[in-house]
Amino acid sequence: MMKIISTLKEKSKASLMVVLFIAVLASCSKKDDPVPGGGNPPPSNTTSAAKEITGLTILKSENANITGDGYFYKSGPKIYITIPLNSTLSNVKVNFSLSAKASIKVENVALTNNSGSLDLSKTLTAIVTAENGTTQSYTILAQTGIKEIDAMLYPFIEKYSIPAASYAIGKNSTESIVYKSGIGFADVNAKERATPDHEFRLASMSKQHTAIAIMKLVQEGKIGLDQLVFGTTGILKDFWPNVGAMSAKVTVRHLLEHTAGYTGDPMFNGTSATLDERIQTMLNSAQSEPGTKFSYYNMGYGTLGKIIEFVSKKEYGAYLKEIYGPAGIEVHLSSSSATSRRAKEAVCYPQGSSTAYAGNVEVFKAAGGVSISSDNLFKVLYSVDGGTIRPDILTPATRALMFTKSTVANYALGWRTGHSLFEGFYHGGNLIGTATFWIYGTEYSAAILLNSRSNETNFDTELIVLTNNIMKKAKELNL
């Protein structure tokens, strides 16, 4: 009996050793081996959350209604598309590349094999669904255009969070626009697409229009460039007959050239002061000898607006319409709020500010309150350029005066000049909710109008470089 018990104990130990050996083998199983990159492979039942549009193609070979392959630029949830000019956008086959195991719907219609014929003339919404059911929405904005130029604008407005841009390039020898386009949203909430017909607030590019208006009065003999502005013999003597000795020397030319010598600029000081009250503040400020020093000065152009209204006996905006009307040019003053804007007037969007509509447009209109489309902007340019194709508003002699550089700075009458990147005349504009730049070059001219501005350090410089680059590209493409 004892022998039987001993034998059972031995068998029990052997069985235990086998179990322990199997357990050790199991602990060394390959399923727990480290994988490349560290960590363990996911359980086999894990589903993918990837839901990206990774690319797309639009091929001429698949679309009889387009003149070349399409170009796209993707930035986050936005996809910009340029189809070559003279194409039809209403029925275009688009092939999407997606994350693995994802699917796509465009305007709630599922695409077969991630391809479909889309109406690219509309703003489209694409929804990509991952394998695990989560979704990502994309906005598709397509247009016909020149991809080499559009490709410069798309990344710029996305980098600086600009809702919309309107841009145009003109060829000076033909006094005509050779390319114009609008991208993004003139009204974000309404998803109103920007076009070259949309008006944008010009900010300080308004100063060229004030200069043209003044030169028109000079041309008509109603004022003189070297006529005094203040004091007992000045144009505005009825308003400011008694001024300081320095102010009594200020001429129309000094105001146009920013050489009146005043310090401090009350134009955009955030108060409710009237234009006349701001001019008085200017007259009370410290001043250097007029004509000896350049200092960019908005209030000087506010004063020029006062001169225009007093001499013409018309409101500033009405006088612009009078001189531009015969040339077929539409121009307005900027609206004072987003809700009061005109049809086809882009909404201004602030960055880092509560509103883009602070200040009284009636006060700063001659310094920064003009609103115009890029199309009409070029009509203005080619009505003062001295060309022979489009009738000019100004005579050759008056035009020559306007584009004559100051003796103390690279500034003519309302126009900057002498830039290191390009030849010709230029100006920019910058207010909360708007940024603009245009170049009147030697062969081509270019303008970019934006409905927001960025406070980032390089924004202004990059806008100048961009405007110059699209002008250079027009020449390179021989537009």
Side-chain angles (χ1 to χ4, degrees), residues 194-438:
T195 71
D197 296 327
H198 272 91
E199 296 176 20
F200 284 70
R201 185 169 65 186
L202 293 182
S204 281
M205 271 172 57
S206 302
K207 290 179 173 67
Q208 290 83 78
H209 305 279
T210 298
I212 291 168
I214 286 288
M215 298 311 294
K216 183 71 171 174
L217 293 174
V218 171
Q219 182 172 289
E220 294 171 349
K222 295 179 179 178
I223 59 173
L225 274 181
D226 296 313
Q227 188 173 356
L228 297 173
V229 176
F230 306 109
T232 55
T233 61
I235 298 170
L236 300 178
K237 62 181 181 296
D238 293 347
F239 303 92
W240 294 281
N242 301 311
V243 294
M246 291 288 192
S247 289
K249 297 180 182 180
V250 171
T251 65
V252 173
R253 189 191 300 272
H254 292 146
L255 296 177
L256 287 165
E257 291 180 344
H258 299 284
T259 59
Y262 293 109
T263 57
D265 197 336
M267 179 56 80
F268 298 105
N269 63 9
T271 70
S272 59
T274 65
L275 178 63
D276 284 7
E277 289 169 341
R278 292 168 200 257
I279 292 174
Q280 186 61 60
T281 299
M282 175 188 78
L283 293 170
N284 293 339
S285 69
Q287 186 182 8
S288 59
E289 182 69 28
T292 63
K293 180 181 177 183
F294 174 86
S295 180
Y296 191 83
Y297 199 68
N298 290 290
M299 200 62 240
Y301 273 75
T303 306
L304 290 168
K306 177 77 174 180
I307 292 172
I308 290 167
E309 293 188 335
F310 177 68
V311 175
S312 71
K313 297 180 172 53
K314 294 179 176 66
E315 184 272 331
Y316 173 83
Y319 185 65
L320 284 186
K321 289 177 184 293
E322 179 180 293
I323 63 176
Y324 285 168
I329 300 165
E330 285 191 35
V331 64
H332 299 93
L333 295 185
S334 304
S335 295
S336 57
S337 70
T339 55
S340 65
R341 72 189 183 104
R342 293 173 301 281
K344 290 288 187 178
E345 183 182 6
V347 176
C348 296
Y349 292 93
Q351 293 190 32
S353 302
S354 59
T355 179
Y357 292 95
N360 185 348
V361 175
E362 282 297 319
V363 170
F364 65 78
K365 54 191 175 185
V370 173
S371 180
I372 198 170
S373 69
S374 57
D375 199 16
N376 279 293
L377 192 61
F378 271 83
K379 290 179 183 178
V380 172
L381 178 61
Y382 291 137
S383 294
V384 297
D385 69 327
T388 59
I389 298 172
R390 188 177 182 90
D392 271 13
I393 293 170
L394 304 177
T395 65
T398 307
R399 176 190 176 278
L401 284 173
M402 185 173 69
F403 287 111
T404 297
K405 186 171 75 72
S406 163
T407 58
V408 297
N410 285 332
Y411 203 95
L413 306 184
W415 300 77
R416 292 183 182 273
T417 190
H419 201 283
S420 59
L421 289 179
F422 49 82
E423 295 181 25
F425 297 86
Y426 67 97
H427 216 285
N430 196 310
L431 284 173
I432 297 171
T434 189
T436 60
F437 198 80
W438 72 332

Side-chain angles (χ1 to χ4, degrees), residues 136-149:
Q136 173 65 54
S137 177
Y138 292 86
T139 300
I140 299 175
L141 305 169
Q143 64 178 19
T144 58
I146 300 174
K147 68 178 182 180
E148 292 87 350
I149 295 172

Side-chain angles (χ1 to χ4, degrees), residues 5-322:
I5 292 172
S6 176
T7 301
L8 289 174
K9 285 182 179 179
E10 290 298 324
K11 288 182 177 181
S12 179
K13 286 181 181 179
S15 297
L16 180 60
M17 291 298 292
V18 170
V19 170
L20 290 173
F21 181 72
I22 292 171
V24 170
L25 286 176
S27 70
C28 297
S29 169
K30 285 291 183 182
K31 76 174 184 179
D32 286 332
D33 279 355
V35 295
N40 298 325
S44 60
N45 63 347
T46 300
T47 55
S48 173
K51 44 188 174 288
E52 287 288 317
I53 293 177
T54 57
L56 64 83
T57 58
I58 300 172
L59 304 175
K60 182 180 184 300
S61 60
E62 297 179 333
N63 292 278
N65 55 337
I66 66 175
T67 59
D69 293 347
Y71 164 84
F72 83 97
Y73 176 80
K74 176 175 170 284
S75 176
K78 286 184 185 174
I79 296 175
Y80 297 94
I81 295 174
T82 296
I83 305 293
L85 294 171
N86 302 314
S87 297
T88 302
L89 295 178
S90 57
N91 187 26
V92 178
K93 183 180 180 183
V94 182
N95 308 300
F96 292 92
S97 298
L98 307 178
S99 302
K101 300 182 180 180
S103 60
I104 185 171
K105 289 183 178 181
V106 178
E107 297 297 300
N108 289 319
V109 176
L111 302 188
T112 302
N113 297 323
N114 302 332
S115 297
S117 293
L118 307 179
D119 185 356
L120 294 181
S121 66
K122 299 177 180 179
T123 301
L124 302 178
T125 299
I127 304 293
V128 178
T129 302
E131 184 188 19
N132 70 355
T134 58
T135 61
Q136 173 65 54
S137 177
Y138 292 86
T139 300
I140 299 175
L141 305 169
Q143 64 178 19
T144 58
I146 300 174
K147 68 178 182 180
E148 292 87 350
I149 295 172
D150 293 352
M152 299 180 191
L153 271 294
Y154 293 145
F156 179 85
I157 67 169
E158 284 298 305
K159 176 180 179 179
Y160 289 112
S161 301
I162 307 297
S166 176
Y167 46 104
I169 304 167
K171 188 171 185 177
N172 298 345
S173 62
T174 60
E175 294 187 301
S176 62
I177 291 177
V178 291
Y179 184 59
K180 60 183 178 180
S181 189
I183 56 174
F185 292 114
D187 183 338
V188 174
N189 292 335
K191 290 191 175 181
E192 179 184 342
R193 298 278 293 275
T195 71
D197 296 327
H198 272 91
E199 296 176 20
F200 284 70
R201 185 169 65 186
L202 293 182
S204 281
M205 271 172 57
S206 302
K207 290 179 173 67
Q208 290 83 78
H209 305 279
T210 298
I212 291 168
I214 286 288
M215 298 311 294
K216 183 71 171 174
L217 293 174
V218 171
Q219 182 172 289
E220 294 171 349
K222 295 179 179 178
I223 59 173
L225 274 181
D226 296 313
Q227 188 173 356
L228 297 173
V229 176
F230 306 109
T232 55
T233 61
I235 298 170
L236 300 178
K237 62 181 181 296
D238 293 347
F239 303 92
W240 294 281
N242 301 311
V243 294
M246 291 288 192
S247 289
K249 297 180 182 180
V250 171
T251 65
V252 173
R253 189 191 300 272
H254 292 146
L255 296 177
L256 287 165
E257 291 180 344
H258 299 284
T259 59
Y262 293 109
T263 57
D265 197 336
M267 179 56 80
F268 298 105
N269 63 9
T271 70
S272 59
T274 65
L275 178 63
D276 284 7
E277 289 169 341
R278 292 168 200 257
I279 292 174
Q280 186 61 60
T281 299
M282 175 188 78
L283 293 170
N284 293 339
S285 69
Q287 186 182 8
S288 59
E289 182 69 28
T292 63
K293 180 181 177 183
F294 174 86
S295 180
Y296 191 83
Y297 199 68
N298 290 290
M299 200 62 240
Y301 273 75
T303 306
L304 290 168
K306 177 77 174 180
I307 292 172
I308 290 167
E309 293 188 335
F310 177 68
V311 175
S312 71
K313 297 180 172 53
K314 294 179 176 66
E315 184 272 331
Y316 173 83
Y319 185 65
L320 284 186
K321 289 177 184 293
E322 179 180 293

